[in-house]
Amino acid sequence: MTDLTDRGKAFRSAIAAFIEARREAKLKGKDDDAGVASKYDYATWLADAARRVGQIQAVTHVLKATHPDARGSSLHVAPNNLPQRTEIGTHVLGDDYAEDVVGNAAALDVFKFLKIEVDDRRLLDWMQAGDADLCSALHPDTTVATGWMDTFGKLVRSDPTPSSHEAAKQVYWLVGEEPSNDVDYHLLQPLFSSSLAHAIHADIQDARFGEGNKLARQAFRTKEAYEAPYRDYRNLIARKLGGTKPQNISQLNSERGGINYLLASLPPTWDLDRPRKLLKLDSAMDRLAYFKSVRKQVKTLADFLLADPPANDATRTLRRKIEQELGNQLALFAAETHARFEPGWTCDPDCMLPLCERLWLDPERTELPLREGHEQEDADFKAAYERGDWPDEVAGRFANWINAQLREAGLPTVGDAEHKHWARQAIVDAAWPVPLQRRAPAGGEA
């Protein structure tokens, strides 16, 4: 066996420690098994890893994140090789990005092996660079070691002929002159950037649970000076990929527990007039009538129904459009209230709103520290929020309000059937952990 350099010894020691840790984990709590233990012999394990590395692929953009049954190509594109645009995208990651791995989940331990760092670089990087010390540490036979180096280095590879799949997102873009001619279209396939999603996930997790931002949040709540900025991501939605087996999507998706955050995409509000406070009111629905175009939409619906239109598709389509616009206004009313009132405003003694509406319009109150002398009240508020039944109650109150408006307009026949119908139109925004935009099946009487 050729004498190893100090660097070669460092490589071999790091590799041997990794293999030994795998062996101990496999045999933990079991009697020594010579057959199993032999698989973790240094050369034996490396030979097996070199065989299995072809079952996985390092990528930045994951196809299965779009649909778990998609069978096309995932891609590896270094962020610096992407067009450098002003918009936020994968290109902003530069050299500091996480590579993902797709393929056989049973071979993911090979990727963990290749991520071992020696001299501040991964084994994968040293293999791709053809490092002589690493080569000698892998195997005394140079031919074998060189073959392993080449095989492991191909973890990052591209399909010679990238393919799409019917389960993938596809956009056919007309590049020719004749829409009826298939060859005049160019196929665009948007791909999920797992590297970018991982960076965003890490930042959001730090903002939500990091100790530094926790202190900044406390200072913000108590209006005290703090040396660092306070970061907050509101109205997040957690999209779960892979179900109970997130590793089937990709390695990074598994590390995130399948959670991929979606940021709120509410349109900007240009109305600079602050809404009247919702204090000394029995219901926020009393203010809903004065929000945006709600009064006009209710009148349009009432006039339409009073005209007794024919029961056909055109009537149903127009009615559905008006109803959905009213449901959207309910969601926007809540979003504007969240943005313009400080969390905890429902603690005001003059707040007379029912509990379900307080939970709906002041969800961030659940993140505030318990007030001295009101600990039980605040704890009950948080518990009620987490039970998650209040969106249905809000939907029911919305339905009652719509029925009352229609009766005033001259439609006395509206009743329980209409109540259930209006409740189904309600879009009640609820911040995490209650799912956003839950659509109540029927609502409840207020």
Side-chain angles (χ1 to χ4, degrees), residues 52 56 101 104-113 247 250-251:
R52 293 184 294 127
I56 57 177
V101 173
N104 184 1
L108 290 177
D109 61 316
V110 181
F111 180 57
K112 294 178 181 178
F113 158 69
Q247 69 274 15
S250 72
Q251 170 64 19

Side-chain angles (χ1 to χ4, degrees), residues 124-362:
L124 175 62
D125 301 322
W126 291 123
M127 289 178 180
Q128 291 174 332
D131 188 87
D133 289 327
L134 173 57
C135 184
S136 62
L138 287 175
H139 198 279
D141 186 327
T142 303
T143 302
V144 174
T146 302
W148 286 353
M149 294 264 287
D150 180 64
T151 300
F152 285 128
K154 290 180 180 177
L155 177 71
V156 180
R157 61 186 183 275
S158 299
D159 293 339
T161 54
S163 62
S164 183
H165 188 266
E166 62 184 11
K169 289 183 179 178
Q170 299 178 354
V171 178
Y172 286 86
W173 191 265
L174 182 64
V175 294
E177 300 295 331
E178 184 52 59
S180 61
N181 189 349
D182 290 348
V183 300
D184 280 359
Y185 287 88
H186 182 75
L187 177 62
L188 303 177
Q189 180 176 302
L191 281 175
F192 177 86
S193 175
S194 187
S195 296
L196 180 60
H198 204 65
I200 292 173
H201 184 273
D203 194 75
I204 291 177
Q205 290 295 95
D206 183 64
R208 294 181 63 194
F209 307 113
E211 188 62 29
N213 202 52
K214 178 180 179 181
L215 297 175
R217 183 186 299 112
Q218 291 174 350
F220 175 77
R221 300 301 192 198
T222 56
K223 302 188 183 301
E224 297 177 354
Y226 190 73
E227 59 184 11
Y230 164 52
R231 295 175 294 123
D232 189 17
Y233 293 89
R234 300 185 179 185
N235 298 326
L236 291 173
I237 293 179
R239 179 189 177 210
K240 194 74 178 289
L241 300 179
T244 59
K245 297 181 178 179
Q247 69 274 15
N248 287 346
I249 302 298
S250 72
Q251 170 64 19
L252 291 185
N253 185 66
S254 180
E255 291 180 14
R256 297 189 294 266
I259 294 175
N260 292 267
Y261 290 116
L262 300 181
L263 305 179
S265 299
L266 295 172
T269 301
W270 303 111
D271 181 8
L272 299 180
D273 295 330
R274 292 184 64 84
R276 284 181 287 179
K277 294 217 172 193
L278 300 173
L279 302 178
K280 299 183 179 180
L281 292 177
D282 293 330
S283 174
M285 301 300 165
D286 295 338
R287 287 286 180 263
L288 183 63
Y290 302 96
F291 180 75
K292 305 295 183 184
S293 59
V294 170
R295 185 184 292 274
K296 179 180 178 181
Q297 290 171 349
V298 171
K299 185 177 186 306
T300 300
L301 177 62
D303 291 345
F304 180 72
L305 297 177
L306 285 168
D308 194 21
N312 55 33
D313 287 342
T315 294
R316 286 188 288 271
T317 299
L318 181 56
R319 174 175 173 169
R320 188 182 306 114
K321 179 181 178 182
I322 299 172
E323 294 166 353
Q324 289 176 347
E325 287 177 352
L326 277 170
N328 287 330
Q329 290 302 314
L330 186 70
L332 290 175
F333 175 79
E336 185 164 297
T337 303
H338 297 166
R340 296 193 172 191
F341 287 86
E342 287 289 331
W345 64 270
T346 54
C347 296
D348 193 302
D350 287 334
C351 181
M352 302 166 59
L353 300 180
L355 178 59
C356 65
E357 292 187 8
R358 297 188 190 200
L359 297 168
W360 170 47
L361 298 174
D362 190 16

Side-chain angles (χ1 to χ4, degrees), residues 29-179:
K30 302 178 182 177
D31 296 333
D32 288 342
D33 187 325
V36 173
S38 65
K39 295 180 182 179
Y40 292 90
D41 173 73
Y42 188 88
T44 302
W45 190 90
L46 285 175
D48 182 63
R51 177 187 62 81
R52 293 184 294 127
V53 72
Q55 301 173 15
I56 57 177
Q57 177 186 1
V59 299
T60 54
H61 295 71
V62 177
L63 178 66
K64 284 183 175 291
T66 302
H67 195 288
D69 291 332
R71 296 290 185 267
S73 302
S74 296
L75 299 181
H76 186 288
V77 184
N80 282 334
N81 292 337
L82 292 168
Q84 299 302 301
R85 304 182 181 278
T86 56
E87 299 86 357
I88 294 177
T90 309
H91 59 278
V92 305
L93 300 178
D95 292 326
D96 185 18
Y97 68 97
E99 286 179 323
D100 206 345
V101 173
V102 297
N104 184 1
L108 290 177
D109 61 316
V110 181
F111 180 57
K112 294 178 181 178
F113 158 69
L114 293 173
K115 288 200 300 180
I116 296 173
E117 290 193 2
V118 176
D119 289 347
D120 298 325
R121 292 186 68 184
R122 302 175 302 173
L123 293 184
L124 175 62
D125 301 322
W126 291 123
M127 289 178 180
Q128 291 174 332
D131 188 87
D133 289 327
L134 173 57
C135 184
S136 62
L138 287 175
H139 198 279
D141 186 327
T142 303
T143 302
V144 174
T146 302
W148 286 353
M149 294 264 287
D150 180 64
T151 300
F152 285 128
K154 290 180 180 177
L155 177 71
V156 180
R157 61 186 183 275
S158 299
D159 293 339
T161 54
S163 62
S164 183
H165 188 266
E166 62 184 11
K169 289 183 179 178
Q170 299 178 354
V171 178
Y172 286 86
W173 191 265
L174 182 64
V175 294
E177 300 295 331
E178 184 52 59

Side-chain angles (χ1 to χ4, degrees), residues 312-435:
N312 55 33
D313 287 342
T315 294
R316 286 188 288 271
T317 299
L318 181 56
R319 174 175 173 169
R320 188 182 306 114
K321 179 181 178 182
I322 299 172
E323 294 166 353
Q324 289 176 347
E325 287 177 352
L326 277 170
N328 287 330
Q329 290 302 314
L330 186 70
L332 290 175
F333 175 79
E336 185 164 297
T337 303
H338 297 166
R340 296 193 172 191
F341 287 86
E342 287 289 331
W345 64 270
T346 54
C347 296
D348 193 302
D350 287 334
C351 181
M352 302 166 59
L353 300 180
L355 178 59
C356 65
E357 292 187 8
R358 297 188 190 200
L359 297 168
W360 170 47
L361 298 174
D362 190 16
E364 290 196 9
R365 175 179 165 184
T366 59
E367 298 182 12
L368 299 177
L370 301 180
R371 296 170 294 155
E372 185 176 354
H374 298 271
E375 291 87 351
Q376 189 60 50
E377 177 186 347
D378 292 345
D380 291 344
F381 186 94
K382 183 176 182 179
Y385 182 85
E386 293 177 348
R387 275 199 304 275
D389 55 0
W390 51 268
D392 286 342
E393 295 181 43
V394 173
R397 298 184 72 86
F398 173 73
N400 287 340
W401 182 79
I402 292 288
N403 271 358
Q405 300 300 306
L406 295 179
R407 290 191 190 100
E408 287 184 10
L411 287 162
T413 59
V414 291
D416 291 343
E418 288 76 13
H419 177 278
K420 293 181 180 180
H421 182 74
W422 306 133
R424 282 194 295 269
Q425 308 309 310
I427 300 176
V428 181
D429 283 343
W432 185 94
V434 180

